[in-house]
């Protein structure tokens, strides 16, 4: 009996504190990961970053299945809606969220882009889509219709949200545009991004436990290199 008591006492003194420490660390890491994802937009809005990078855009697309999405959170017909492709209607039409592939799509035609950019004069958008590019960047894809002719454009971004290249798709071939062309149409591109996830950014939540300093430390190199 004394030997058993000694072993139990040794376990309590040596192994139990270690076990409690390991469990505590795992809980802290798990909460931190959850916190970073849920409140990623808030943190991205407040992280110092190099000009040309886009932490907020990256935060929205990377954490689509964790962040608060207005309307969809309250109105979804699915209990586990983040496990499926889901849709919600708003002023701009039908927005589709693909939480598996981190993709946002507006598929309904709308007309409210008059005069905002040379690219869109006398034209209207028939579809907008933004998604991740195999974890190395992002793609903004949109179609423009003019005189019954549909043209498809793709804008590629790096993992830091920095512009890389813009293409027009003709005969299933990507035809490159110049950087000047991209800059000339920044207003158009910003308008499309606003329609895709502007309401999400506006309704972003503030963390109860603010881990901004840790978030900045972990992501500083990504958005400042």
């Amino acid at each position: 009996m004394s030997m058993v008591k000694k072993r139990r006492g040794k376990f309590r003194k040596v192994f139990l504190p270690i076990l409690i420490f390991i469990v505590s660390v795992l809980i802290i890491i798990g909460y931190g990961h959850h916190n970073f994802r849920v409140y990623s937009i808030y943190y991205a809005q407040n992280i110092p970053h190099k000009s040309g990078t886009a932490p907020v855009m990256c935060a929205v697309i990377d954490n689509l299945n964790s962040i608060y999405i207005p309307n969809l959170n309250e109105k979804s017909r699915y209990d586990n809606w983040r496990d499926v492709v889901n849709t919600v209607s708003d002023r701009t039409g039908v927005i589709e969220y693909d939480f598996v592939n981190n993709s946002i799509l507006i598929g309904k035609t709308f007309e409210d882009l008059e005069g905002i950019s040379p690219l869109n004069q006398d034209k209207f958008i028939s579809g907008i889509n933004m998604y991740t590019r195999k974890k190395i960047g992002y793609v903004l894809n949109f179609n423009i219709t003019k005189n019954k002719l549909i043209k498809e454009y793709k804008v590629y971004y790096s993992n830091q949200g920095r512009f890389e290249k813009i293409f027009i798709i003709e005969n299933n071939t990507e035809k490159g545009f110049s950087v000047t062309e991209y800059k000339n149409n920044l207003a158009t591109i910003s308008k499309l991004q606003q329609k895709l996830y502007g309401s999400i950014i506006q309704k972003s939540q503030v963390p109860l436990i603010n881990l901004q300093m840790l978030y900045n430390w972990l992501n500083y190199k990504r958005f400042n290199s």
Side-chain angles (χ1 to χ4, degrees):
M1 289 292 292
S2 60
M3 289 295 294
V4 173
K5 288 182 179 179
K6 287 182 179 179
R7 288 176 181 175
R8 288 179 178 174
K10 185 177 181 180
F11 174 81
R12 289 173 182 172
K13 289 181 179 179
V14 179
F15 296 105
L16 190 57
I18 294 175
L19 181 61
I20 293 174
F21 174 77
I22 293 174
V23 171
S24 300
V25 169
L26 291 176
I27 291 174
I28 293 172
I29 292 175
Y31 173 77
H33 180 71
H34 172 76
N35 184 293
F36 285 156
R37 291 182 66 85
V38 173
Y39 303 110
S40 58
I41 296 175
Y42 174 86
Y43 293 134
Q45 289 174 318
N46 293 283
I47 186 174
H49 61 280
K50 194 173 182 179
S51 177
T53 62
V56 175
M57 181 190 79
C58 299
V60 172
I61 304 301
D62 289 346
N63 303 288
L64 192 63
N65 62 355
S66 298
I67 57 179
Y68 175 80
I69 298 178
N71 298 322
L72 192 58
N73 279 71
E74 294 87 359
K75 297 180 180 179
S76 175
R77 294 178 291 117
Y78 301 96
D79 291 333
N80 299 316
W81 54 265
R82 291 192 190 273
D83 296 330
V84 297
V85 174
N86 213 325
T87 60
V88 63
S89 297
D90 67 3
R91 294 180 306 167
T92 61
V94 177
I95 303 178
E96 178 182 279
Y97 298 95
D98 182 343
F99 300 104
V100 177
N101 299 301
N102 286 20
S103 170
I104 307 176
L105 168 70
I106 295 180
K108 186 177 180 180
T109 299
F110 52 86
E111 300 180 50
D112 60 356
L113 300 175
E114 51 208 69
I116 66 169
S117 163
L119 184 64
N120 280 330
Q121 289 177 356
D122 304 317
K123 305 171 185 178
F124 64 90
I125 303 297
S126 59
I128 316 169
N129 180 216
M130 190 157 195
Y131 53 92
T132 54
R133 180 163 51 105
K134 297 181 180 179
K135 297 183 179 181
I136 63 171
Y138 310 87
V139 178
L140 172 64
N141 187 91
F142 56 95
N143 300 324
I144 294 181
T145 303
K146 182 179 181 181
N147 299 326
K148 297 182 179 181
L149 176 64
I150 297 178
K151 291 186 177 181
E152 180 180 359
Y153 296 83
K154 284 187 178 181
V155 184
Y156 288 88
Y157 299 91
S158 68
N159 188 49
Q160 296 80 30
R162 184 181 287 111
F163 165 74
E164 289 186 338
K165 51 194 173 184
I166 182 171
F167 288 109
I168 180 172
I169 311 301
E170 293 182 343
N171 300 320
N172 296 320
T173 302
E174 293 184 343
K175 179 182 178 181
F177 275 34
S178 65
V179 174
T180 301
E181 187 76 24
Y182 168 75
K183 291 181 177 179
N184 288 342
N185 293 289
L186 277 175
T188 297
I189 292 169
S190 296
K191 182 78 171 180
L192 301 183
Q193 291 173 329
Q194 176 67 21
K195 286 187 175 295
L196 282 172
Y197 51 78
S199 61
I200 295 176
I201 295 174
Q202 291 173 5
K203 299 291 184 178
S204 63
Q205 298 176 318
V206 178
L208 295 176
I209 300 178
N210 195 321
L211 302 178
Q212 185 73 57
M213 291 183 65
L214 181 56
Y215 181 91
N216 291 356
W217 180 73
L218 292 172
N219 293 277
Y220 185 84
K221 184 177 180 180
R222 177 181 178 185
F223 297 111
N224 288 275
S225 58

